Amino acid sequence: MSEKIVVGVDIGGTSIKVGICSMEGELLHTFEGPTEVEKGSDVVCDNIAKYAKQIVEESAYTWEQVEGVGIGIAGFLDIPNGIVKKSVNLFFDNVPLKAILEEKLEKKVLVNNDANVAALGEAWAGAGRGISDCVCYTLGTGVGGGVIINGKVVEGFAGMAGELGHMVIVPDLEAIQCNCGQMGCLETVSSATGIIRMAKDAVERGDRTSLSFVENIAAKDVIDAAKAGDEVAARIVTRAAYYLGKSLGTMAVVLNPQRFIIGGGVSKAGEFLFEQIREAFKKSAPAMAQEGVEIVPAILGNDAGVVGAAGLIIRS
Amino acid sequence: MSEKIVVGVDIGGTSIKVGICSMEGELLHTFEGPTEVEKGSDVVCDNIAKYAKQIVEESAYTWEQVEGVGIGIAGFLDIPNGIVKKSVNLFFDNVPLKAILEEKLEKKVLVNNDANVAALGEAWAGAGRGISDCVCYTLGTGVGGGVIINGKVVEGFAGMAGELGHMVIVPDLEAIQCNCGQMGCLETVSSATGIIRMAKDAVERGDRTSLSFVENIAAKDVIDAAKAGDEVAARIVTRAAYYLGKSLGTMAVVLNPQRFIIGGGVSKAGEFLFEQIREAFKKSAPAMAQEGVEIVPAILGNDAGVVGAAGLIIRS
């Protein structure tokens, strides 16, 4: 076999996930091994190189067929130079990841942040396949995102593009402070954390809701209660969907992407949530910026990171 | 001489402006002739071709040196196919401008809307020279704009990208309806029209302001009064700057451009306005998305359209 393959690496605090993809984005093979952050960045880098070589050896492919290795990592990065300036989870401090791994692997290595990489995965080989312009949201603990224009991730001047959770979208009168210091960020209402906070507030206020009987409320509890007809829970989910839809409206006039892709734990609420997002979007952008624009769920799940990391080699 | 040149055409309702640019964006020569909309689209197309050929003939260059002809036009366009679906000013209705002119000129022709083209002009050869990612605002009758990523204009799925004036930015409680039908668009407060409206409202309300003695208030009157210390006028200008700065904050987390370029009539207010925009921006985005980001005035003025049109040939 002489066709080329790309390798993607998704570095988490506990495990490193590695995958082989075809040049078309098909995930052919995956492997997961411990990160061993406690042993320091040299060992973590060794592990990355080891797992990457191992997965290819164990596959039907050879190392010669590897076009390059892409890496997704959480932290503050110098993307062009592939330097991890700071990664809190990994205890990385100015680690020249790209340079280290290019030496170890003797292949082209590209590094980008985990949110951008997951967005690229969906855009390249997931719910955005075949689409050149899309915007991805991940509704998890926070609200992450990635903007894809002409098939490529927009990184921004300081790598801060795609920080969609920090769009200020909640009006001052009902805004609360975000972890970033701003008031009214999208993340304060449309993340799992935001939904849980609103539910706890409702319970504390004494609102009549089935959530009063739930210990340690999770976002899923609120969504399930809303689906079951709990009005207080329904209002919370509607609020999360409303501000998300409103932010989509802003994106529509700024970038007019063909498709919005929404993933992350909260998105598992499914059509119940998506219908409300679409309804809010409809009211939040001029008709021409909405025409033909789709709002769809992400489809790669946890593979988005490793697929997108591999995609960096092709889409950079 | 054998070096290549590019020709830009800026089609207005009264006149067609044509310019020759070097491949580096230097405007070498311009010409302006009547559009003659009243004679119909065939004559307008003939005029465009005539002026384009004429300007090259009159210059030190030959038609063989022309790499291509770019055209900026106001209206609803099918950009990839260069079809003007509707241009109210020009009475164009499904005119295949690109095809017609490619036949007449025997050169590559690209068509794009006037706002995108003006933004590209500034980005390529004006206040954004040397910068790959920037966002341009034009504060005129409305608020127009253009988003430049990797040196190219983002057009969007239906050509609706860069409609920055229709970002919903004013909170519901103080929002008024925009011409587009939405409530609270940036254009309702940060355009000349918005400034004039706020001034007239203040006068009608009986606010103590020197503007009460001005007949037919223009945006410049409001800005001049604000500079002279009129508190009511100052509040209006601050409000226009505040919401603009806030929208810049949104752009900073979505795209993190290196530079914001602000042009159009209202921007002539100069540093008085820019200081207030910068102050509002500072409060409207996380510090990392602001670091090193500049907010600067446009420098090409009315030439931005013709330069940017020429730039389409190089930056597409």
Side-chain angles (χ1 to χ4, degrees):
Chain A
M1 275 180 300
S2 65
E3 89 252 33
K4 291 280 182 187
I5 52 169
V6 276
V7 173
V9 181
D10 183 1
I11 312 181
T14 346
S15 72
I16 293 170
K17 201 167 161 186
V18 189
I20 295 178
C21 284
S22 72
M23 300 301 272
E24 289 73 41
E26 198 191 345
L27 185 58
L28 304 166
H29 204 57
T30 60
F31 173 87
E32 207 163 337
T35 312
E36 305 186 297
V37 283
E38 68 287 355
K39 297 189 181 165
S41 65
D42 285 353
V43 174
V44 174
C45 290
D46 282 344
N47 285 342
I48 297 170
K50 193 171 70 183
Y51 302 155
K53 288 201 165 161
Q54 196 167 323
I55 190 177
V56 175
E57 266 169 33
E58 287 173 358
S59 77
Y61 301 89
T62 66
W63 192 249
E64 283 65 46
Q65 289 173 279
V66 176
E67 179 76 12
V69 178
I71 299 178
I73 184 169
F76 297 117
L77 311 177
D78 169 351
I79 297 173
N81 297 308
I83 297 167
V84 183
K85 297 202 294 199
K86 188 114 204 153
S87 181
V88 181
N89 295 338
L90 302 174
F91 309 109
F92 274 24
D93 215 334
N94 279 312
V95 176
L97 194 57
K98 177 186 164 77
I100 293 173
L101 289 170
E102 283 189 340
E103 205 191 312
K104 285 189 199 293
L105 298 173
E106 297 179 309
K107 293 287 175 187
K108 175 184 182 183
V109 172
L110 291 172
V111 180
N112 211 312
N113 78 57
D114 55 345
N116 280 348
V117 158
L120 181 61
E122 284 291 342
W124 176 43
R129 191 184 270 279
I131 300 290
S132 68
D133 295 358
C134 56
V135 175
C136 304
Y137 285 75
T138 305
L139 312 179
T141 311
V143 172
V147 173
I148 314 291
I149 301 289
N150 289 326
K152 292 176 184 175
V153 175
V154 178
E155 287 157 12
F157 176 52
M160 289 292 285
E163 293 282 349
L164 306 180
H166 300 291
M167 294 172 77
V168 174
I169 201 98
V170 184
D172 290 349
L173 285 176
E174 36 174 311
I176 68 149
Q177 192 166 34
C178 180
N179 290 330
C180 79
Q182 295 195 109
M183 300 291 290
C185 288
L186 178 61
E187 183 163 301
T188 63
V189 282
S190 303
S191 64
T193 317
I195 289 172
I196 293 166
R197 176 191 54 81
M198 291 189 279
K200 285 185 178 161
D201 285 355
V203 169
E204 268 173 37
R205 253 196 327 264
D207 287 3
R208 284 164 63 98
T209 165
S210 59
L211 296 169
S212 310
F213 309 104
V214 179
E215 255 182 282
N216 267 322
I217 299 175
K220 191 178 181 309
D221 298 323
V222 183
I223 291 162
D224 288 345
K227 284 182 179 171
D230 184 299
E231 282 179 28
V232 169
R235 221 162 41 230
I236 291 168
V237 175
T238 299
R239 196 156 176 255
Y242 172 74
Y243 286 114
L244 181 63
K246 223 176 153 176
S247 85
L248 263 54
T250 298
M251 306 284 4
V253 294
V254 172
L255 299 170
N256 186 210
Q258 183 170 356
R259 204 170 279 176
F260 290 101
I261 301 172
I262 300 174
V266 174
S267 74
K268 296 199 179 114
E271 274 307 299
F272 176 75
L273 179 73
F274 278 78
E275 271 169 27
Q276 298 189 57
I277 298 169
R278 287 189 196 108
E279 200 177 314
F281 175 59
K282 205 173 278 178
K283 293 181 199 140
S284 306
M288 281 197 55
Q290 291 185 32
E291 228 176 272
V293 175
E294 295 161 316
I295 303 172
V296 303
I299 58 175
L300 295 181
N302 291 331
D303 290 336
V306 74
V307 172
L312 287 173
I313 299 302
I314 288 168
R315 293 281 191 88
S316 285
Chain B
M1 277 179 297
S2 67
E3 89 254 34
K4 291 283 181 185
I5 52 168
V6 276
V7 173
V9 181
D10 183 2
I11 311 182
T14 348
S15 72
I16 294 169
K17 202 167 160 185
V18 189
I20 294 178
C21 284
S22 72
M23 300 301 273
E24 289 73 41
E26 197 192 344
L27 185 58
L28 305 165
H29 203 59
T30 60
F31 174 86
E32 206 163 337
T35 312
E36 303 187 298
V37 282
E38 67 287 355
K39 296 188 182 165
S41 66
D42 286 354
V43 173
V44 174
C45 291
D46 282 344
N47 284 342
I48 296 169
K50 193 172 71 186
Y51 302 156
K53 289 201 161 160
Q54 196 168 323
I55 191 178
V56 176
E57 264 168 37
E58 287 171 359
S59 77
Y61 301 88
T62 66
W63 192 248
E64 283 64 47
Q65 289 173 278
V66 176
E67 179 77 12
V69 179
I71 299 177
I73 183 169
F76 297 118
L77 311 178
D78 169 350
I79 297 172
N81 297 307
I83 297 168
V84 183
K85 297 205 294 202
K86 189 111 203 155
S87 181
V88 180
N89 296 337
L90 301 174
F91 310 111
F92 273 25
D93 214 336
N94 280 310
V95 175
L97 194 58
K98 176 186 164 78
I100 292 172
L101 288 170
E102 284 190 338
E103 206 193 309
K104 284 188 201 294
L105 298 172
E106 297 178 310
K107 293 286 175 189
K108 175 184 181 183
V109 172
L110 290 172
V111 180
N112 210 312
N113 79 57
D114 55 346
N116 280 349
V117 157
L120 181 62
E122 284 292 343
W124 176 44
R129 191 184 271 278
I131 301 290
S132 68
D133 296 358
C134 56
V135 174
C136 305
Y137 285 75
T138 306
L139 313 179
T141 311
V143 172
V147 174
I148 314 290
I149 302 289
N150 289 326
K152 291 177 186 176
V153 175
V154 178
E155 287 159 11
F157 176 51
M160 289 292 284
E163 292 283 348
L164 307 180
H166 300 291
M167 295 172 77
V168 173
I169 202 98
V170 184
D172 289 350
L173 285 176
E174 36 174 311
I176 67 149
Q177 190 165 37
C178 179
N179 290 331
C180 79
Q182 294 194 113
M183 299 292 291
C185 288
L186 178 61
E187 182 162 302
T188 64
V189 282
S190 301
S191 64
T193 316
I195 290 172
I196 293 166
R197 176 190 54 80
M198 292 188 279
K200 284 186 177 162
D201 285 354
V203 169
E204 268 172 37
R205 255 196 326 264
D207 287 3
R208 282 163 64 99
T209 165
S210 60
L211 295 169
S212 310
F213 309 104
V214 179
E215 257 182 280
N216 266 323
I217 300 174
K220 189 176 182 312
D221 298 322
V222 184
I223 291 162
D224 288 346
K227 286 180 179 172
D230 184 299
E231 284 180 25
V232 170
R235 221 161 43 227
I236 291 169
V237 175
T238 299
R239 194 156 178 254
Y242 172 74
Y243 285 114
L244 181 63
K246 224 178 151 174
S247 84
L248 263 55
T250 298
M251 305 282 12
V253 292
V254 173
L255 300 170
N256 186 211
Q258 183 170 357
R259 203 170 280 174
F260 290 101
I261 301 172
I262 300 174
V266 174
S267 74
K268 297 201 178 112
E271 274 307 299
F272 176 75
L273 178 73
F274 277 79
E275 272 170 27
Q276 299 191 57
I277 298 170
R278 288 190 195 106
E279 200 177 313
F281 176 60
K282 204 172 279 177
K283 293 179 201 144
S284 306
M288 282 199 51
Q290 290 184 33
E291 227 177 271
V293 175
E294 296 161 317
I295 302 172
V296 302
I299 59 176
L300 295 182
N302 291 330
D303 289 337
V306 75
V307 171
L312 287 173
I313 299 301
I314 288 167
R315 293 281 192 90
S316 284

